[in-house]
């Protein structure tokens, strides 16, 4: 039997969730016409929603930190030998705990929205009510179907452990950050519903909403980037993006959020694109829901799937269906009346952004098809297949070209009515510069394929025009313009495409069956396999191979890839050894040994990885700058 | 409004996708991941690792009780990790585990079992790995659940204790 202390903890935590449930129910009264305009203590109430969830979550963290195996969840996901950080991250490294964290973040956004005073009471009330509806839905799910506070029937002195592949400092923070992104869009969704109910999707509405989109977008981008960086050094597959269903599931809301970010700008400046904005707001949040839950329900097979029963998936699906059908129903009845008939010419900033929307949504559709197709085939023809990266590369590449072109020119076209000739005049110097650069680089590297030159030219144009429009250098000083955030993100995107393509073109990989004292060669680098060490870590044993990178018979660098064996649960993971270079990473991975006299190793040379990370960093910093600029004004 | 119908499009798309997800949810994709799944076991006859036992034949697997075939080797380190789980599984009533000792030295395999315990009803020696190829083995360990001579489930890699609980045992329960 569980100890008395654990019973109290479990009871108190559940009680906190019930408080949150009741308060959320009470907050939903704003949906009723009688209450929609009243000023009803929403700050206090949202503080209670937030703190009650926080306490429940803290109790769960406490149970994990103290390795309280009376709790089923702790028993099946933790172990006393685990380092403190992973005891902590074990809290959200499972279905129930991550759901509680999801709810906590929902209440955090609700809380911060509530304390930020808003002049429009009716709109605010509807937003709070809608956010509370979401909280209510997920708290019920948590209480009824996946409570993290269920106690064990027996006494256990040891737990089963956390999947070692998840025991990584980066992965401890990846889920919370990603969740802040996903959940941030719940507020965007609430704005959309409230805006439709109150018939006020206008400039003011857009101005109030935009910072929240930016915040969620920044978190989402950062979350995806962290996950991808983790995959690069931990999984040891030699890449940073694998078009895995779960990666796709996080990319889809990102694409739709990016389109939304541009739409809301048009709405704010020109009071148009109302339907687009509403549609994208709903779409982004629903894709976030799909991203968090459906991927974990066992529909999609992936490293991220926490084994769980189909009942849970069904509940989430039902919830998703109700939320979506209700909101799209509202959209169908109100959508057309929201649209203000502001006109714009074929050549204008508006049409540029519209094209951009369609391009982003086309990519979204491609990714969606690729993710869903194997399920479809499995369902209809009972065959298993995987959609490989080739599909995505071939189909998305041409759209990215177009995207680069439109991203380069659209910011230089005027609102409402622009002219092509004026736009060309504005970007002529940067275009000439980019063309020169593109030719110079192709000559230097002997690239004579026309596609390569075009890619170089397009990416450079985007980078150069964006950077120059963000900063104005005059004789006396440098003026940083308010659009620096945007231009930095755009330049980052250009650099990203450039480095991804360069990386794909110049990556090399070799596989060896290596015996001690063997010399392995790749790309002119010589590696000597020195020895094998046995290392004991905090909660694992490992086999470590030592490779010396030699130049002119001198050892310049040592690589020590490892295979770690964990006992709790019994798993082997492979740790890559990476030499991060400015222009090129060298990367050694060792496979689980199968034959005793040799080990199988893979050596990768990965050029421009740093530029990929830098470009993503630029995109994120661009978003952060825009938020700061918003808050200041 | 000129194209009001377009505002209804998201609803239909959502309905379609939700229905699709609903059917996918009740369809377990993980069970269909290998070509051998759903087919009859390959024909083989392997000398037993134990002197006092007969050959391990494919005919041993034609039984109403589900059997587990585990491909292992003493040189394979994940097999060592998996062994405790197999020991646990072998103690459950009515479950027999058969081993195929893959590309291994029989002497090493014997000491492996002496050291860690014997969960196997019988172990066939597949020194050259010929039978392993028929089973479509591409890494050790791999385990198969066989029922009436048909492969019901294939598990790649060591069976984790939680997978025992969540995947293997439910399948065995269903088959009984």
């Amino acid at each position: 039997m569980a100890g008395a202390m654990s019973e109290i903890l479990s009871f108190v935590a559940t009680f906190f969730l019930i408080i949150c449930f009741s308060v959320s129910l009470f907050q939903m009264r704003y949906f009723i016409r009688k209450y929609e305009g009243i000023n009803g203590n929403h700050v206090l109430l949202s503080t209670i929603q937030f703190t009650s969830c926080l306490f429940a979550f803290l109790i769960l963290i406490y149970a994990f930190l103290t390795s309280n195996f009376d709790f089923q969840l702790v028993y099946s996901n933790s172990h006393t030998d685990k380092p403190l950080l992973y005891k902590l991250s074990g809290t959200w490294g499972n279905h129930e705990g991550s759901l509680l964290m999801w709810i906590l973040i929902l209440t955090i956004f609700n809380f911060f929205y509530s304390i930020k005073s808003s002049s429009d009471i009716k709109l605010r009330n509807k937003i709070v009510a809608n956010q509370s509806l979401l909280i209510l839905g997920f708290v019920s799910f948590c209480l009824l179907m996946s409570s993290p506070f269920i106690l064990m029937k027996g006494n256990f002195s040891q737990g089963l452990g956390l999947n070692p592949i998840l025991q990584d400092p980066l992965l401890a923070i990846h889920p919370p950050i990603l969740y802040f992104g996903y959940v941030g869009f719940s507020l965007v969704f609430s704005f959309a519903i409230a805006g439709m109910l109150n018939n006020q999707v206008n400039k003011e509405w857009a101005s109030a909403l935009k910072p929240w989109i930016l915040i969620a977008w920044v978190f989402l981008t950062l979350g995806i980037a962290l996950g991808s960086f983790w995959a690069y050094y931990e999984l040891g597959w030699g890449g940073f993006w694998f078009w895995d269903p779960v990666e796709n599931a996080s990319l889809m809301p990102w694409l739709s959020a990016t389109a939304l970010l541009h739409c809301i700008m048009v709405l704010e400046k020109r009071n148009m694109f109302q339907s687009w904005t509403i549609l994208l707001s709903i779409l982004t949040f629903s894709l976030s829901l799909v991203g968090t839950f459906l991927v974990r329900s066992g529909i999609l097979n992936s490293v991220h799937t926490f084994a769980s029963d189909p009942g849970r998936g069904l509940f989430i699906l039902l919830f998703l269906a109700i939320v979506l059908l209700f909101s799209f129903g509202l959209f169908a009845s109100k959508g057309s009346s929201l649209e203000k008939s502001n006109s714009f010419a074929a050549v204008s900033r508006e049409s540029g952004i519209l094209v951009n929307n369609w391009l982003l949504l086309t990519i979204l559709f491609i990714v969606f098809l690729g993710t869903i197709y194997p399920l479809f085939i499995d369902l209809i023809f009972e065959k298993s297949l995987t959609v490989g990266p080739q599909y995505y590369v071939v189909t998305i590449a041409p759209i990215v070209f177009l995207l680069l072109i439109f991203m380069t020119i659209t910011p230089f076209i005027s609102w409402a009515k622009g002219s092509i000739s004026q736009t060309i005049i504005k970007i002529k110097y940067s275009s000439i510069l980019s063309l020169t650069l593109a030719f110079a680089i192709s000559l230097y590297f002997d690239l004579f394929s026309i596609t390569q030159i075009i890619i170089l030219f397009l990416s450079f144009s985007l980078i150069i025009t964006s950077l120059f429009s963000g900063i104005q250098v005059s004789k006396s000083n440098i003026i940083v313009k308010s659009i620096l955030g945007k231009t930095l993100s755009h330049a980052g995107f250009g650099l990203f495409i450039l480095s991804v393509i360069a990386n794909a073109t110049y990556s090399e990989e070799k596989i060896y069956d290596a015996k001690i004292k063997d010399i392995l060669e790749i790309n002119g680098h010589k590696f000597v396999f020195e020895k094998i060490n046995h290392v004991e870590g905090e909660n694992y044993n490992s086999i470590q191979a030592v490779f010396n990178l030699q130049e002119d018979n001198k050892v310049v660098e040592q690589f020590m890839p490892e295979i770690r064996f964990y006992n709790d649960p019994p798993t082997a993971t492979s740790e890559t050894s990476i030499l991060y270079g400015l222009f090129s990473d060298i990367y050694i991975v060792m496979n689980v040994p199968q034959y005793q006299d040799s080990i199988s190793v893979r050596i990768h040379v990965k050029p421009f990885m740093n530029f990929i990370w830098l470009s993503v960093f630029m995109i994120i910093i661009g978003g952060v700058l825009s938020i700061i600029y918003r808050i200041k004004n | 409004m000129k194209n009001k119908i377009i505002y209804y499009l998201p609803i239909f798309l959502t309905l379609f996708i939700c229905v699709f997800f609903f059917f996918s949810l009740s369809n377990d994709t993980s069970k269909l991941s290998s070509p051998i799944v759903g087919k009859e076991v390959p024909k083989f006859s392997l000398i037993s690792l134990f002197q006092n036992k007969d050959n391990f034949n494919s005919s041993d697997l034609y039984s109403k009780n589900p059997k587990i075939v585990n491909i292992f080797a003493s040189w394979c380190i994940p097999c060592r990790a998996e062994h405790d789980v197999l020991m646990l599984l072998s103690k459950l009533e009515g479950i027999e585990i058969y081993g195929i000792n893959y590309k291994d030295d029989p002497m090493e395999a014997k000491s492996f079992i002496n050291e860690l315990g014997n969960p196997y009803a019988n172990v066939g020696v597949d020194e050259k790995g010929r039978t392993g190829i028929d089973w479509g083995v591409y890494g050790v360990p791999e385990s198969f659940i066989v029922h009436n001579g048909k492969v019901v489930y294939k598990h790649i890699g060591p069976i984790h204790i939680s997978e025992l609980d969540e995947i293997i045992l439910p399948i065995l329960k269903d088959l009984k």
Side-chain angles (χ1 to χ4, degrees):
Chain A
M1 274 304 288
M5 183 64 190
S6 310
E7 294 213 356
I8 295 172
L9 282 179
S10 163
F11 177 78
V12 172
T14 311
F15 186 68
F16 275 125
L17 288 180
I18 293 172
I19 293 180
C20 183
F21 177 91
S22 328
V23 175
S24 304
L25 193 64
F26 186 59
Q27 292 258 62
M28 279 167 63
R29 74 191 186 285
Y30 298 126
F31 275 132
I32 304 164
R33 178 146 302 169
K34 197 173 132 194
Y35 299 106
E36 68 177 3
I38 63 157
N39 219 339
N41 273 331
H42 68 287
V43 177
L44 176 71
L45 291 174
S46 61
T47 312
I48 297 175
Q49 283 171 304
F50 164 53
T51 41
S52 56
C53 281
L54 182 68
F55 283 132
F57 193 63
L58 287 178
I59 289 175
L60 190 63
I61 288 183
Y62 175 75
F64 267 91
L65 289 184
T66 53
S67 296
N68 186 337
F69 297 124
D70 286 342
F71 285 89
Q72 240 178 43
L73 195 66
V74 182
Y75 170 73
S76 46
N77 292 289
S78 197
H79 193 282
T80 49
D81 288 350
K82 243 169 31 168
L84 192 67
L85 176 67
Y86 305 128
K87 282 185 184 167
L88 179 70
S89 67
T91 317
W92 53 79
N94 55 73
H95 175 83
E96 289 84 350
S98 64
L99 176 71
L100 188 59
M101 187 167 76
W102 220 85
I103 297 170
L104 177 65
I105 300 174
L106 263 178
T107 60
I108 290 177
F109 272 99
N110 188 40
F111 171 72
F112 278 106
Y113 174 72
S114 296
I115 57 170
K116 219 185 126 279
S117 61
S118 154
S119 50
D120 191 335
I121 293 176
K122 274 191 184 177
L123 183 71
R124 182 201 70 200
N125 281 352
K126 286 268 165 59
I127 290 173
V128 169
N130 198 69
Q131 199 70 8
S132 296
L133 170 75
L134 295 175
I135 297 171
L136 186 93
F138 284 105
V139 170
S140 334
F141 178 48
C142 179
L143 285 170
L144 296 175
M145 319 226 14
S146 71
S147 170
F149 302 110
I150 292 174
L151 297 174
M152 297 290 285
K153 292 208 175 62
N155 254 327
F156 293 88
S157 55
Q158 193 50 274
L160 297 176
L162 171 75
N163 187 352
I165 207 169
L166 303 176
Q167 295 187 20
D168 182 278
L170 204 64
L171 223 62
I173 55 166
H174 159 71
I177 289 183
L178 195 62
Y179 276 21
F180 266 97
Y182 281 149
V183 182
F185 291 111
S186 68
L187 196 62
V188 177
F189 171 74
S190 296
F191 259 89
I193 298 296
M196 280 195 287
L197 285 174
N198 288 9
N199 278 323
Q200 52 183 126
V201 182
N202 51 27
K203 286 186 176 184
E204 292 71 37
W205 178 88
S207 301
L209 172 56
K210 197 178 172 192
W212 297 106
I213 301 181
L214 272 169
I215 289 171
W217 183 84
V218 164
F219 274 114
L220 186 60
T221 317
L222 186 62
I224 297 174
L226 286 178
S228 149
F229 188 58
W230 167 80
Y232 175 63
Y233 74 75
E234 173 74 30
L235 289 182
W237 298 338
F240 57 94
W241 193 264
F242 304 98
W243 302 102
D244 171 272
V246 174
E247 291 177 328
N248 290 350
S250 67
L251 182 64
M252 287 192 277
W254 188 87
L255 289 165
S256 137
T258 309
L260 174 62
L261 207 52
H262 292 87
C263 257
I264 194 99
M265 192 171 75
V266 182
L267 181 56
E268 196 186 9
K269 290 250 162 55
R270 302 266 303 137
N271 201 19
M272 54 199 300
F273 287 4
Q274 279 85 350
S275 317
W276 266 106
T277 309
I278 295 287
L279 187 69
L280 288 173
S281 301
I282 301 172
L283 185 67
T284 308
F285 179 60
S286 30
L287 288 172
S288 299
L289 280 178
V290 171
T292 353
F293 294 104
L294 284 182
V295 289
R296 301 197 151 168
S297 61
I299 290 188
L300 301 168
N301 279 332
S302 134
V303 266
H304 293 71
T305 312
F306 300 138
S308 75
D309 59 307
R312 280 179 188 165
L314 211 60
F315 185 99
I316 289 295
L317 188 61
L318 200 68
F319 185 77
L320 189 69
I322 293 171
V323 168
L324 285 188
L325 291 178
F326 166 73
S327 24
F328 283 133
L330 199 62
F331 177 70
S333 68
K334 297 259 183 155
S336 52
S337 64
L338 293 171
E339 201 68 52
K340 304 282 182 298
S341 49
N342 247 338
S343 63
F344 58 91
V347 179
S348 64
R349 181 97 56 105
E350 289 92 325
S351 40
I353 289 175
L354 201 57
V355 172
N356 166 73
N357 274 356
W358 279 114
L359 292 176
L360 285 172
L361 287 188
T362 312
I363 299 180
L364 172 62
F365 183 68
I366 290 172
V367 176
F368 183 75
L369 268 188
T371 315
I372 216 89
Y373 186 69
L375 294 180
F376 190 70
I377 293 300
D378 185 30
L379 195 63
I380 311 283
F381 303 105
E382 301 224 323
K383 271 188 202 159
S384 287
L385 60 82
T386 327
V387 174
Q390 198 58 31
Y391 157 78
Y392 296 98
V393 173
V394 170
T395 44
I396 292 177
I399 303 171
V400 170
F401 285 174
L402 293 174
L403 206 55
L404 284 174
I405 297 174
F406 277 91
M407 281 174 75
T408 309
I409 56 172
T410 308
F412 295 94
I413 307 176
S414 325
W415 291 106
K417 189 173 177 358
S419 91
I420 297 178
S421 52
Q422 270 178 357
T423 311
I424 292 176
I425 291 171
K426 279 185 198 160
I427 58 170
K428 68 177 174 205
Y429 293 119
S430 1
S431 307
I432 293 168
L433 183 59
S434 322
L435 204 58
T436 326
L437 261 175
F439 276 118
I441 289 177
S442 354
L443 278 178
Y444 186 77
F445 287 102
D446 283 342
L447 316 170
F448 291 104
S449 121
I450 191 80
T451 14
Q452 282 168 329
I453 298 176
I454 291 178
I455 295 166
L456 280 173
F457 167 63
L458 291 178
S459 328
F460 276 124
S461 309
L462 179 58
I463 298 171
I464 292 168
T465 51
S466 306
L467 284 181
F468 278 131
S469 56
I471 298 170
Q472 210 168 43
V473 187
S474 67
K475 274 179 196 152
S476 50
N477 58 347
I478 298 170
I479 303 162
V480 176
K481 290 191 187 168
S482 62
I483 53 165
L484 182 68
K486 174 188 97 181
T487 58
L488 194 61
S489 291
H490 280 195
F493 185 77
L495 183 62
F496 177 74
I497 297 300
L498 194 63
S499 27
V500 164
I501 290 172
N503 174 269
T505 319
Y506 294 107
S507 284
E508 287 207 34
E509 175 189 332
K510 273 194 179 171
I511 302 176
Y512 290 95
D513 237 355
K515 294 187 174 126
I516 288 182
K517 292 299 167 195
D518 272 1
I519 297 172
L520 321 176
E521 274 192 71
I522 183 168
N523 248 15
H525 302 290
K526 271 189 185 165
F527 298 89
V528 181
F529 182 10
E530 273 300 319
K531 57 180 173 184
I532 289 226
N533 293 334
H534 289 267
V535 184
E536 272 195 30
E538 209 172 333
N539 59 342
Y540 59 85
N541 292 312
S542 78
I543 302 176
Q544 191 180 56
V546 179
F547 290 88
N548 287 335
L549 172 60
Q550 294 198 333
E551 260 168 40
D552 306 328
N553 289 327
K554 267 186 279 176
V555 179
V556 286
E557 200 67 47
Q558 234 175 21
F559 287 80
M560 289 180 278
E562 276 179 55
I563 298 284
R564 290 185 182 164
F565 299 99
Y566 291 83
N567 282 324
D568 46 284
T571 321
T573 69
S574 102
E575 303 290 314
T576 52
S577 171
I578 306 177
L579 172 67
Y580 297 97
L582 180 58
F583 284 103
S584 185
D585 290 358
I586 301 173
Y587 184 126
I588 301 190
V589 202
M590 147 185 178
N591 288 348
V592 177
Q594 300 223 335
Y595 300 96
Q596 276 156 339
D597 54 344
S598 67
I599 58 165
S600 159
V601 286
R602 270 181 303 137
I603 306 181
H604 295 263
V605 175
K606 294 259 147 203
F608 300 107
M609 286 310 295
N610 279 333
F611 289 85
I612 294 179
W613 308 129
L614 172 74
S615 63
V616 174
F617 187 66
M618 279 164 72
I619 295 175
I620 293 168
I621 291 298
V624 174
L625 283 180
S626 303
I627 296 172
I628 293 173
Y629 178 77
R630 278 264 154 181
I631 292 170
K632 270 192 171 172
N633 295 285
Chain B
M1 286 293 144
K2 52 182 176 177
N3 45 10
K4 203 166 176 196
I5 191 75
I6 210 149
Y7 287 95
Y8 285 90
L9 200 63
I11 297 192
F12 296 120
L13 275 177
T14 312
L15 265 178
F16 176 74
I17 290 167
C18 285
V19 168
F20 172 71
F21 272 146
F22 174 77
F23 283 110
S24 287
L25 207 57
S26 32
N27 183 14
D28 194 346
T29 48
S30 60
K31 285 181 191 164
L32 292 158
S33 54
S34 165
I36 196 174
V37 173
K39 296 205 179 112
E40 275 192 47
V41 296
K43 296 268 170 290
F44 62 88
S45 175
L46 295 172
I47 299 171
S48 175
L49 186 66
F50 311 112
Q51 267 130 13
N52 55 350
K53 282 194 179 150
D54 293 337
N55 279 10
F56 170 37
N57 299 320
S58 35
S59 56
D60 296 341
L61 300 172
Y62 287 78
S63 143
K64 268 194 184 145
N65 276 335
K67 314 259 182 206
I68 290 172
V69 177
N70 174 250
I71 315 273
F72 76 103
S74 66
W75 46 259
C76 142
I77 293 159
C79 297
R80 231 165 242 276
E82 180 190 50
H83 210 79
D84 286 344
V85 179
L86 293 180
M87 289 301 288
L88 199 75
L89 189 59
S90 69
K91 289 191 184 107
L92 300 173
E93 210 173 313
I95 293 171
E96 276 186 320
I97 307 176
Y98 287 90
I100 292 180
N101 185 229
Y102 182 70
K103 287 190 183 172
D104 201 2
D105 176 355
M107 290 310 288
E108 299 261 356
K110 269 185 202 162
S111 62
F112 176 83
I113 287 175
N114 286 340
E115 185 192 340
L116 299 171
N118 181 17
Y120 303 109
N122 198 356
V123 174
V125 178
D126 183 25
E127 234 178 310
K128 295 260 164 65
R130 184 71 198 83
T131 308
I133 292 172
D134 291 341
W135 281 85
V137 170
Y138 44 79
V140 208
E142 275 183 20
S143 307
F144 301 84
I145 299 179
V146 182
H147 185 234
N148 282 332
K150 267 192 183 167
V151 178
V152 179
Y153 173 76
K154 174 180 181 179
H155 189 94
I156 297 167
I159 301 172
H160 180 297
I161 184 97
S162 69
E163 288 166 331
L164 180 68
D165 219 34
E166 281 150 9
I167 306 169
I168 308 287
L169 291 180
I171 295 177
L172 291 174
K173 212 174 147 194
D174 279 353
L175 293 175
K176 275 190 178 171

